[in-house]
Amino acid sequence: MSQFAPWESLEEQGQRSSENGSSHRIELIGSQLRATADLKVPATQRVSDYFGLLQGFCRVSDLVLLTPLGKLSRIRLREARIRLDDIAVVGESRQCSCSDARPAETLRALFVPKRPHRLVVMTPDLLIYGDTHLTQNGSVTAFIDAEHPRFVPMTNVRVRWLADRRLASRYNFALLQRSHIIGFELQADGGAAVESFHIPGADFGADQSWS
């Protein structure tokens, strides 16, 4: 649950958190929504921790609706409350100029060695390719099957629409809501070729690179 009272405006939240908090430009992808917005996160939390604590809705500002291929639309909302259940992916926008202000000593104290595992994940609307990071003896299957955290952190992420395989976006960092996952495959060689993830009745062509 967010530490902010539900009746507070984003301006009031900003007065309480701007001094030590951080602002992030994020993108939201759901079955019926594609948008970019500003998110304020308290200084004591990372973005992944913040989303793990939220219940019900996420409060954002300067929300702009995007086309399915990520183009800016003319529809803009100064403030919005987004229903989390409808969001499959929360990605760090390439327009985000945020940086982690934690001291180097704090980062070293929090660091836990982990190994990357390349996954292809299917949701009802998306194919998501990305690296999830687990401890040395961690099980990918057990991690995906777990109920917590609600959002799975991933790096080096590529998102495609399942219906036509068009590229939706690429993110250096993203959160995947695990309740949307209906299937996944571990890429043993670290690659993420579309052809290796077989869906009966679907015909995916060669994958396209992005730079």
Side-chain angles (χ1 to χ4, degrees), residues 1-3 10 16 23 36 54 59 62 67-68 88 90 114 119 137 142 161-162 165-166 191 198 204-205:
M1 180 172 61
S2 171
Q3 70 180 41
L10 288 173
R16 295 179 55 188
S23 180
T36 180
L54 288 177
R59 299 170 68 93
D62 189 25
T67 69
V90 180
K114 294 184 178 181
L119 297 178
N137 298 319
W161 296 107
L162 183 60
R165 216 179 59 77
R166 288 181 300 172
H198 177 67
F204 300 121

Side-chain angles (χ1 to χ4, degrees), residues 7 15 34 39 49 87 98 105 115 158 175 180 182 202:
W7 56 84
Q15 291 174 2
R34 179 80 194 276
L39 173 74
D49 299 330
I87 300 302
C98 55
E105 294 78 8
R115 294 179 54 205
R158 180 167 71 254
L175 301 172
H180 286 246
I182 60 176

Side-chain angles (χ1 to χ4, degrees), residues 9 13 15 29 40 52-53 67 77 79 81-82 84 110 115 117 130 161 174 177 180 200:
S9 68
Q13 293 180 16
Q15 291 174 2
I29 303 180
K40 284 191 175 296
L53 293 173
T67 69
L77 301 177
E79 297 185 12
R81 298 175 73 244
I82 305 299
L84 287 176
L110 294 174
R115 294 179 54 205
H117 299 269
W161 296 107
Q177 184 159 197
H180 286 246

Side-chain angles (χ1 to χ4, degrees), residues 45-140:
Q45 297 173 347
R46 300 172 300 178
V47 174
S48 55
D49 299 330
Y50 181 70
F51 272 94
L53 293 173
L54 288 177
Q55 298 288 335
F57 291 85
C58 174
R59 299 170 68 93
V60 297
S61 62
D62 189 25
L63 182 142
V64 181
L65 294 185
L66 303 175
T67 69
L69 297 182
K71 301 289 186 179
L72 293 173
S73 75
R74 296 182 180 181
I75 302 177
R76 182 185 296 265
L77 301 177
R78 187 176 64 88
E79 297 185 12
R81 298 175 73 244
I82 305 299
R83 180 180 170 86
L84 287 176
D85 288 345
D86 297 330
I87 300 302
V89 176
V90 180
E92 181 183 62
S93 171
R94 281 174 283 175
Q95 281 70 49
C96 183
S97 59
C98 55
S99 62
D100 196 331
R102 291 184 178 183
E105 294 78 8
T106 302
L107 293 175
R108 284 195 292 268
L110 294 174
F111 178 74
V112 176
K114 294 184 178 181
R115 294 179 54 205
H117 299 269
R118 189 68 178 174
L119 297 178
V120 183
V121 180
M122 182 172 64
T123 75
D125 303 287
L126 304 168
L127 280 176
I128 301 155
Y129 313 86
D131 298 325
T132 186
H133 300 259
L134 304 179
T135 55
Q136 186 68 26
N137 298 319
S139 166
V140 174

